[in-house]
């Protein structure tokens, strides 16, 4: 790993830092001291394992944390101080394994397939390319491009942007993928969101009537079906894909919070709880994921964009 001194300039703000460049081709900014950045509600600091972390703060008192490694949102605190996201106690912050929790990226593959589980975006360093304040709301944009690490398993050139906006009672993300290659490619993707919850009391509304691919009991041979319940719960192991999902789901986390999960262009949804496979923590979270299970086909220079909007009452 090479260590070089540099300064990052974002929106005319100069952030003096140390920059780490590793085999995955990304950049990780290890320190930041800049008063102007505080006025935007954005700080860049060291997180767990000395990994660089962005902290977004709104005037209303909400807060979000994003690790540049994996472009992973690990915390979303509402003004009361309550964190609505969950990071597993076995999560590793070593810049090698994906961060287990928060909002990990699955790209360019969701689940198992020709390349490694859930792809490589959660295993790479993303770069901060923009920081702004929109009507009091901090907004950051992260970038991921192909590198030798990604091309070794998926030999395409791409450009991904991940825009995160924090408001008083909401957290919004916009993911844009552009084909910068000379040939077409296809991908699947998801935001593998972990919500803090009482799993035995949590429930999701908005799924009734949808076609399902149930991976219980055999994840490799999902059973097709149709959801007949108005309210879907997590009584045990749950791993189910919902195709052509609605633009809004409602999660009751069983802890007193009702969370609206809205989306644009995330065509599918996934519910997951590992139950006894993760005995140490399965009771404390549920995953409700916006996903694109079917392949997105992009010709050269074409882009695909999807938006997720999480909010509380």
């Amino acid at each position: 790993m090479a260590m070089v001194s540099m300064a990052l300039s974002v929106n005319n703000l100069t952030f003096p830092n140390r920059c780490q460049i590793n085999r995955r081709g990304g950049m990780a900014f290890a320190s930041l001291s800049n008063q102007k950045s505080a006025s935007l509600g954005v700080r860049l600091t060291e997180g767990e394992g000395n990994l660089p972390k962005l902290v977004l703060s709104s005037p209303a008192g909400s807060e979000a944390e994003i690790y540049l490694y994996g472009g992973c949102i690990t915390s979303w605190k509402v003004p009361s101080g309550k964190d609505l996201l969950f990071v597993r106690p076995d999560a590793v912050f070593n810049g090698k394994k994906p961060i287990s929790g928060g909002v990990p990226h699955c790209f360019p593959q969701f689940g198992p397939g020709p390349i490694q589980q859930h792809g490589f975006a959660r295993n790479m360093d993303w770069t901060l390319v923009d920081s702004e304040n929109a009507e009091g709301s901090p907004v950051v944009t992260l970038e991921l491009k192909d590198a030798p690490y990604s091309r070794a398993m998926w030999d395409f050139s791409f450009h991904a942007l991940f825009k995160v906006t924090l408001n008083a009672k909401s957290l919004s993300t916009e993911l844009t993928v552009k084909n910068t290659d000379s040939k077409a490619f296809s991908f699947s993707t998801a935001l593998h969101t972990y919500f803090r919850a009482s799993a035995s009391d949590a429930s999701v509304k908005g799924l009734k009537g949808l076609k399902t691919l149930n991976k219980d009991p055999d994840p490799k041979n999902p059973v097709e079906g149709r959801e007949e319940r108005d309210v879907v719960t997590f009584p045990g192991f749950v791993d189910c894909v919902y195709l052509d999902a609605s633009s809004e789901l409602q999660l009751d986390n069983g802890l007193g919070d009702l969370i609206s999960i809205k989306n644009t262009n995330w065509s599918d949804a996934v519910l997951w709880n590992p139950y006894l496979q993760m005995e140490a923590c399965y009771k404390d979270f549920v995953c409700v994921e916006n996903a694109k299970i079917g392949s997105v086909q992009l010709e050269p220079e074409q882009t695909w964009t999807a938006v997720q909007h999480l909010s509380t009452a």
Side-chain angles (χ1 to χ4, degrees), residues 106-121:
C106 302
F107 174 86
Q109 175 183 288
F110 174 75
I115 65 174
Q116 65 190 21
Q117 175 87 358
H118 290 325
F120 49 70

Side-chain angles (χ1 to χ4, degrees), residues 152-215:
M153 62 186 94
W154 195 68
D155 193 17
F156 296 101
S157 175
F158 70 92
H159 182 206
L161 292 173
F162 188 53
K163 184 177 181 180
V164 182
T165 304
L166 177 69
N167 287 302
K169 294 185 178 181
S170 68
L171 182 70
S172 299
T173 66
E174 179 183 276
L175 176 65
T176 300
V177 177
K178 182 177 182 178
N179 181 350
T180 56
D181 210 310
S182 60
K183 54 187 179 294
F185 63 64
S186 61
F187 65 90
S188 58
T189 182
L191 296 177
H192 200 314
T193 309
Y194 288 70
F195 290 98
R196 189 176 302 274
S198 169
S200 60
D201 301 309
S203 61
V204 179
K205 293 182 179 179
L207 298 167
K208 186 176 181 180
L210 297 182
K211 182 179 179 180
T212 58
L213 299 175
N214 196 338
K215 297 183 180 182

Side-chain angles (χ1 to χ4, degrees), residues 25-46:
M27 292 186 178
F29 301 99
S31 62
L32 167 66
S33 176
N34 189 282
Q35 292 181 346
K36 291 183 180 179
S37 67
S39 67
L40 294 176
V42 180
R43 291 186 296 113
L44 190 51
T45 184
E46 285 191 353

Side-chain angles (χ1 to χ4, degrees), residues 63-234:
E63 187 175 278
E65 297 182 357
I66 311 168
Y67 278 78
L68 295 187
Y69 179 72
C72 186
I73 303 169
T74 54
S75 176
W76 170 36
K77 293 179 180 177
V78 291
S80 67
K82 192 173 188 179
D83 199 334
L84 299 182
L85 298 181
F86 182 80
V87 175
R88 285 166 26 193
D90 62 343
V92 178
F93 292 81
N94 63 3
K96 296 179 181 179
K97 291 186 176 182
I99 297 171
S100 300
V103 188
H105 289 274
C106 302
F107 174 86
Q109 175 183 288
F110 174 75
I115 65 174
Q116 65 190 21
Q117 175 87 358
H118 290 325
F120 49 70
R122 60 184 189 152
N123 298 74
M124 297 180 69
D125 291 310
W126 294 58
T127 304
L128 174 66
V129 293
D130 197 14
S131 178
E132 60 183 308
N133 190 287
E135 299 179 352
S137 299
V139 183
V140 296
T141 302
L142 307 185
E143 174 187 74
L144 183 68
K145 294 182 178 181
D146 56 285
Y149 174 76
S150 68
R151 295 191 75 110
M153 62 186 94
W154 195 68
D155 193 17
F156 296 101
S157 175
F158 70 92
H159 182 206
L161 292 173
F162 188 53
K163 184 177 181 180
V164 182
T165 304
L166 177 69
N167 287 302
K169 294 185 178 181
S170 68
L171 182 70
S172 299
T173 66
E174 179 183 276
L175 176 65
T176 300
V177 177
K178 182 177 182 178
N179 181 350
T180 56
D181 210 310
S182 60
K183 54 187 179 294
F185 63 64
S186 61
F187 65 90
S188 58
T189 182
L191 296 177
H192 200 314
T193 309
Y194 288 70
F195 290 98
R196 189 176 302 274
S198 169
S200 60
D201 301 309
S203 61
V204 179
K205 293 182 179 179
L207 298 167
K208 186 176 181 180
L210 297 182
K211 182 179 179 180
T212 58
L213 299 175
N214 196 338
K215 297 183 180 182
D216 180 26
D218 184 1
K220 295 182 179 180
N221 295 288
V223 178
E224 294 187 11
R226 195 160 297 275
E227 184 57 71
E228 299 180 352
R229 295 169 291 178
D230 289 310
V231 179
V232 179
T233 56
F234 298 81

